[in-house]
Amino acid sequence: GWADYDLDGDLDLYIVNNGNNKNFLFTNKGGNLKNSACLSFTGNQSNAAAIGTKIYIKANVYGNDIWQYREIAAQTGGGVSAQNNLVQHIGLGNANVIDSLIILWPSGLIQTETNVAVDNCLSILEKGGTTISGIAFNDLNGNCQIDNGEAVLSNMEITIEPGGQRVYTDQNGLYQITLPRGKYTIAQNNSTNWMSNCGGSPQIHEVEITNRSRNQILSGFNFSNISTGLCNSSDLSVTGATTALRVGFASMLAIKVENNGTLPGTNVELVVDFGSDILPTSSTIPWTSNIGTVYRWSLADIAIGESYTIYVSTMIDANATIGDTTRVGLAIGSLEKDCDLSDNIFEETGILVGAIDPNDILVSPEGTITSDEVLQYKIRFQNVGNTAVKRVVIKDELPNTLDLSTLELGSASHSFRFHIEDDRTLIWEFENINLPDSTTNELASNGFVSFRIKPASNLANGTAINNHGVIYFDFSEAVNTNIVQNIIEDELPGKGGTLNIFPNPAYKQANFSINPRDLSLKQVEIQSIAIFNSLGQLVHEARGLEQFRYQINDLQLTSGYYVVKVLGVDNNEYTGRMIVQ
């Protein structure tokens, strides 16, 4: 059997003889010993000895990316009397780090480690073990139990300690996370409109996972919620994201709609202006009507806590110009009051491309931003291999220059499980995605995730915000995306506020005013206004106003998406977006 008997980093040989024959130990004196690593494995869902585990190791050895393979097996000593040590030893030549370590556990779990240090022994515990799950819901009768007719709540953040892991409830109000043996405290973080409450106190669950509960699914760790009282109506929101916009090719727009309010949204209307270069061809929920590039969905009611995604298949105009910027404007509204109109309108921007790097990260706006702007990130992926992919994992370790408390998940191309590890690492898991390769089905081989987040507070002018993602396809090596960068450059302190447009979407009338950023400041008068359509053409202009509110009573604009630019008497420009129905 082979083992590192003297713990000097190389393998020694022990030979066992039967009968009265002596056994022999041959020690390896090292000689020309290079870098190496030793890895020991402990199963959690799998058997404790990790028998049957397959390990793929990638490192750059003498300038070449080299993959090595190991498998932990029983009876590997050449006979019934011997067994190799289960610790795996890997020679690495001049490599200073293991770039990718992919572990296929017997349970079926695929675990990936990156940037593993060499010349030491690493103990690796199989992640997961027991799945904990529960539901967040609106506890109408206050009995701390979910009953028929009580709405489930999506996008509620659940925290697991120790470890600082976070998961979010899905469209069914369900959260779930797989944890190894240990004791845990599970709590819900309150949102703006909902707070955990059972008998007058927040619910907290204490969970202990033992050997007896290993590999089980433990459910019922629910969170009953009541309204915080800050919102007594619906709170509709919409986001959208597209796959790559390749000229002459098919694409897809995913539209996520949700109601985070405390009352249902009734007679909900969704309006989308696709612009001149994107042609919708079909939708998982058919649109009700369209005029030119503007498409309308009558969505009826959206229940309390309800969230779902509409997938729209599109075609990019073959005559469009590569390099042009496209803008898709989305707006959602109903006849009732909405608690927060700021998230009822959304703009998805994209660049028309030819050939592209299919695995990348995008940010909008690009370049220089102010410290209070919201950044919209999108991580795109595509299977450019030669066979279907069963599982995709995306990781994004957020820099400290982003405020994690402002994170909002956006639309995605496929259903996923999401959680946060190590305080700041966002993880999307697409299990059983069955993503075809690009030669079999080019459109279906694409996917993406998206999210919104604000910069951290008190960042100095000139601070760089760098972000990138890592994409894993089955057990292939990790794919690192490009790095996107924003630079903080706050506007002069004299700027008085933000542009308010009401109603939005607009029909025959629209009102414009500058809302003070600080209520203690005097409202800024409007000096001039200019409205541009989705092609950038000026369609309305007024000058010499010097008034606090500008109103258009007979809105002579066709249905579509518009950018509004207002100049205040403080000589600052204020920009907003408007949908005209």
Side-chain angles (χ1 to χ4, degrees), residues 175 263 315 449 461 464 493 495 524:
Y175 75 90
L263 290 177
M315 180 64 69
V449 298
N461 277 352
K495 185 163 183 178
V524 178

Side-chain angles (χ1 to χ4, degrees), residues 529-568:
I529 184 171
I531 302 177
F532 302 85
N533 64 17
S534 59
L535 299 177
Q537 299 167 332
L538 180 66
V539 294
H540 181 90
E541 186 177 31
R543 296 179 177 273
L545 301 176
E546 295 188 1
Q547 56 194 59
F548 290 115
R549 187 179 73 167
Y550 178 70
Q551 184 178 72
I552 303 177
N553 290 314
D554 187 14
L555 200 60
Q556 298 291 323
L557 297 177
T558 59
S559 297
Y561 177 75
Y562 295 86
V563 174
V564 182
K565 294 185 177 181
V566 166
L567 182 66

Side-chain angles (χ1 to χ4, degrees), residues 2 108 144 166 171 203 231 273 300 367 379 391 394 471 571 580:
W2 293 92
C144 304
R166 277 172 272 190
Q171 66 270 20
Q203 278 185 296
C231 174
D273 185 352
I379 301 175
R391 182 174 187 263
I394 296 176
I471 305 167
N571 290 321
V580 175

Side-chain angles (χ1 to χ4, degrees), residues 378-405:
K378 178 166 62 175
I379 301 175
R380 303 187 296 193
F381 57 90
Q382 184 180 21
N383 176 14
V384 293
N386 54 17
T387 188
V389 169
K390 293 183 178 180
R391 182 174 187 263
V392 175
V393 176
I394 296 176
K395 295 185 178 182
D396 185 347
E397 185 176 352
L398 296 180
N400 291 327
T401 47
L402 293 174
D403 183 358
L404 186 60
S405 68

Side-chain angles (χ1 to χ4, degrees), residues 234-466:
S234 62
D235 184 7
L236 303 175
S237 68
V238 62
T239 59
T242 66
T243 55
L245 303 174
R246 296 184 64 188
V247 172
F249 283 78
S251 182
M252 186 264 287
L253 169 69
I255 305 170
K256 181 181 178 182
V257 298
E258 54 190 332
N259 176 16
N260 293 314
T262 57
L263 290 177
T266 59
N267 299 311
V268 176
E269 292 278 326
L270 170 68
V271 180
V272 181
D273 185 352
F274 287 89
S276 59
D277 295 322
I278 302 176
L279 176 65
T281 56
S282 65
S283 175
T284 53
I285 297 179
W287 53 80
T288 307
S289 62
N290 76 287
I291 301 176
T293 63
V294 179
Y295 288 68
R296 182 191 307 275
W297 281 258
S298 296
L299 299 178
D301 297 350
I302 300 182
I304 298 170
E306 186 175 7
S307 172
Y308 59 87
T309 301
I310 302 170
Y311 296 98
V312 184
S313 298
T314 64
M315 180 64 69
I316 310 304
D317 188 348
N319 296 316
T321 303
I322 292 175
D324 280 359
T325 298
T326 65
R327 290 179 171 84
V328 178
L330 305 96
I332 194 169
S334 68
L335 298 178
E336 291 82 13
K337 176 186 175 183
D338 192 290
C339 287
D340 181 8
L341 289 171
S342 67
D343 53 8
N344 287 46
I345 190 167
F346 185 87
E347 180 183 71
E348 163 72 351
T349 61
I351 304 295
L352 297 176
V353 297
I356 61 164
D357 180 354
N359 298 293
D360 61 5
I361 184 172
L362 306 173
V363 64
S364 178
E366 299 177 307
T368 301
I369 61 169
T370 60
S371 58
D372 59 354
E373 285 193 74
V374 177
L375 293 172
Q376 299 170 193
Y377 286 102
K378 178 166 62 175
I379 301 175
R380 303 187 296 193
F381 57 90
Q382 184 180 21
N383 176 14
V384 293
N386 54 17
T387 188
V389 169
K390 293 183 178 180
R391 182 174 187 263
V392 175
V393 176
I394 296 176
K395 295 185 178 182
D396 185 347
E397 185 176 352
L398 296 180
N400 291 327
T401 47
L402 293 174
D403 183 358
L404 186 60
S405 68
T406 65
L407 173 70
E408 296 179 27
L409 297 182
S411 57
S413 57
H414 302 78
S415 298
F416 60 87
R417 287 178 59 182
F418 175 82
H419 67 282
I420 301 175
E421 283 186 356
D422 304 324
D423 290 332
R424 301 194 66 82
T425 302
L426 313 184
I427 300 178
W428 292 261
E429 295 178 280
F430 298 88
E431 300 287 354
N432 300 314
I433 188 174
N434 294 319
L435 195 70
D437 63 86
S438 56
T439 58
T440 301
N441 189 327
E442 204 281 334
L443 176 60
S445 68
N446 290 272
F448 62 84
V449 298
S450 63
F451 64 95
R452 296 191 289 182
I453 195 168
K454 290 183 178 180
S457 59
N458 301 319
L459 295 180
N461 277 352
T463 300
I465 301 176
N466 298 319

